[in-house]
Amino acid sequence: MDIISAVASVNAIIIALLLINKKGKNVSNKILIAWTFNFALHFSILFLASRAILLQPVNWGFILGIVLVAHTPFLFLYTKSLTQRNFKPDFKNLSYFGFVLIYIATFIPNLMLSQEARMELVYNKQNMDYHTFVPMITLLFCQVYFLIRTIILLINHQHRIKSEFSYEESINLAWIKHIVYGFAFIIVISFIAYGLVSAQIISIYQMDSSIIVVNMILFFYIAYRGYNQRTVYLTKEKPESGQTEIQAGENIDVPKESVADANLSEKDPRMEELISLMKKEKLYLDPELNVGDLANKLGIHSHQLSKMVNSQLNRNFFEFINEYRVEEFKKLATDPKNKHISILGLAMDAGFNSKATFNRIFKSTTGLTPSDFRAGFKF
């Protein structure tokens, strides 16, 4: 198992070098590079400890604890860099790694023990005294704390992008939830394995091997998805003078009506211009249309446009654009000229870029599945 761990460490270093040489690196990529090196050290420790290279196994165990503590702050910081516009790795953000110092402080009583006493704690886990208990609780608290904060970041992000983007694919970061679940799974199996070792049902080697394998699987998933993750916020925006930023999802409770039936005479003239622009130029056919693109066409700030759509149509930007796409699909699907084109093909022609998103939006908008809708027309 130590050889497999060493190979995984080498692979992690190679992946880090690939990320370093990646074109157009952003802050998120740089955080991922540092995190990848942390994984490389993590995987190498089993090999180094088993052969007592440089340090004794118990000292490598101390370093392993530091590496484990750092994983979830890396996850949180990486997620924050993707979900926050103009993110900077300033002192406040880097201070999250202060948990590493807290862990080290809790481990000091353990370091003051004799080598024999520390070996006894590692290999004879019949009783868990404070030398072992306090560092473990610190590690557990750090992991749970940052996993919860990461989930909160993702929930807020997935709500916010619907006020700025007309699509979700590749920017909703749903895959990071899988990372959170992966770390949560590792926490659970670690405690189960620790209990089995304490009961002398399995050996500490078996425990370390099973946990390291799960960590390897999780790492390669992180590396693959992280390498292919696109930047969410491509442009830097500043509010115009006299304007304040509008909170994502801000809404005014007004009756919801279709865009086509909206009474434009009672609305902001800019809304009339917006509706006219959408009808004439069919901007919704762009599958990656965002609020900034549309705001530039109107010559207003993106926050103004988002607020205008929310307050006057009781919709977020995502719903506003995709409603046009649904109507476009209806026109295409009921045109005899298109009877040979598949439903997915028509959805793509209407501006959608995901089958799952199209099916969900169409069903929520019309109450029918796309197949049921098309089956109602006989050519």
Side-chain angles (χ1 to χ4, degrees), residues 229-272:
Q229 177 60 49
R230 59 178 291 181
T231 301
V232 178
Y233 298 104
L234 295 173
T235 58
K236 184 175 181 179
E237 291 189 309
K238 292 183 179 179
E240 297 174 356
S241 59
Q243 293 178 352
T244 56
E245 292 195 4
I246 307 304
Q247 295 297 319
E250 183 178 346
N251 232 348
I252 295 178
D253 292 329
V254 295
K256 195 167 185 177
E257 54 186 342
S258 71
V259 174
D261 297 333
N263 186 355
L264 299 179
S265 63
E266 298 178 0
K267 302 185 183 299
D268 191 321
R270 292 172 299 182
M271 179 59 75
E272 296 186 48

Side-chain angles (χ1 to χ4, degrees), residues 4-19:
I4 295 175
S5 182
V7 171
S9 178
V10 172
N11 284 331
I13 293 173
I14 293 172
I15 291 171
L17 295 176
L18 290 173
L19 287 166

Side-chain angles (χ1 to χ4, degrees), residues 84-100:
Q84 187 178 85
R85 193 188 299 275
N86 305 322
F87 172 87
K88 294 181 180 179
D90 53 22
F91 175 79
K92 179 180 178 182
N93 288 315
L94 294 178
S95 67
Y96 297 125
F97 291 98
F99 275 89
V100 173

Side-chain angles (χ1 to χ4, degrees), residues 32-71:
L32 184 60
I33 290 168
W35 192 10
T36 300
F37 278 119
N38 194 64
F39 268 110
L41 178 57
H42 179 179
F43 298 145
S44 69
I45 287 174
L46 183 61
F47 176 81
L48 297 172
S50 66
R51 286 165 170 73
I53 299 174
L54 300 177
L55 299 172
Q56 291 298 316
V58 289
N59 294 322
W60 278 121
F62 168 61
I63 296 174
L64 177 61
I66 295 174
V67 170
L68 293 176
V69 169
H71 277 323

Side-chain angles (χ1 to χ4, degrees), residues 19 21 72 88 111 142 169 210 222 238 256 343 372:
L19 287 166
N21 292 317
T72 47
K88 294 181 180 179
L111 295 175
C142 175
E169 296 72 25
S210 60
I222 293 170
K238 292 183 179 179
K256 195 167 185 177
I343 289 177
D372 291 338

